[in-house]
Amino acid sequence: MAHLVDPNFWRGRRVFLTGHTGFKGSWLALWLQALGAEVTGYALPPPAEPNLFTLAGAGRAMHSHLADLRDLPRLQAALQQARPEVLFHLAAQPLVGVGYSDPLGTYGSNVTGTLHLLEAARGCPTLR
């Protein structure tokens, strides 16, 4: 487990990160970049202004795809283009109030989006 924070492990490693425009995703993107990883993010645009992703400049040193996980062909293309070795899945619709007001959208994002990511990952031979 020591390799998780070892810059030698992460330096040059290709990482695909869903949810990189969210609060936790932005922090993880910044951390991975500081460790030397080559990060590709895939997420919806930040939901509000101001937001951490923009304020911290998390997208400056990474490839960023602003798209929906429910768009399977686009997700597959982004994953194939990135050729990642490591995948972090942080994308979700986490707000309870939104879940109550839009249960179908929340289900689609959280469940269908995850299924699409798993399907895209199945066809990505570079993932370890």
Side-chain angles (χ1 to χ4, degrees), residues 34-58:
L35 290 172
E38 295 176 18
V39 181
T40 297
Y42 192 97
L44 294 174
E49 286 291 335
N51 61 75
L52 178 63
F53 179 74
T54 303
L55 291 174

Side-chain angles (χ1 to χ4, degrees), residues 19-28 47 51-53 90:
H20 71 291
T21 60
F23 184 76
K24 291 178 183 178
S26 292
W27 279 115
L28 183 55
N51 61 75
L52 178 63
F53 179 74
L90 275 64

Side-chain angles (χ1 to χ4, degrees), residues 19-21 23 36 46 59 70 79-80 85 90 92 103 109 111 118 124:
H20 71 291
T21 60
F23 184 76
R70 293 172 286 187
L79 202 60
Q80 291 300 321
E85 300 169 77
L90 275 64
S109 176
V111 178
L118 291 172
C124 187

Side-chain angles (χ1 to χ4, degrees), residues 24-107:
K24 291 178 183 178
S26 292
W27 279 115
L28 183 55
L30 289 166
W31 180 68
L32 289 167
Q33 290 171 62
L35 290 172
E38 295 176 18
V39 181
T40 297
Y42 192 97
L44 294 174
E49 286 291 335
N51 61 75
L52 178 63
F53 179 74
T54 303
L55 291 174
R60 280 195 295 250
M62 66 181 290
H63 303 283
S64 180
H65 296 271
L66 298 180
D68 196 315
L69 285 173
R70 293 172 286 187
D71 185 345
L72 181 57
R74 191 166 177 185
L75 176 59
Q76 288 171 319
L79 202 60
Q80 291 300 321
Q81 179 185 9
R83 301 178 335 132
E85 300 169 77
V86 177
L87 170 66
F88 286 99
H89 179 39
L90 275 64
Q93 189 302 101
L95 304 174
V96 174
V98 174
Y100 286 144
S101 65
D102 183 15
L104 291 177
T106 298
Y107 184 89

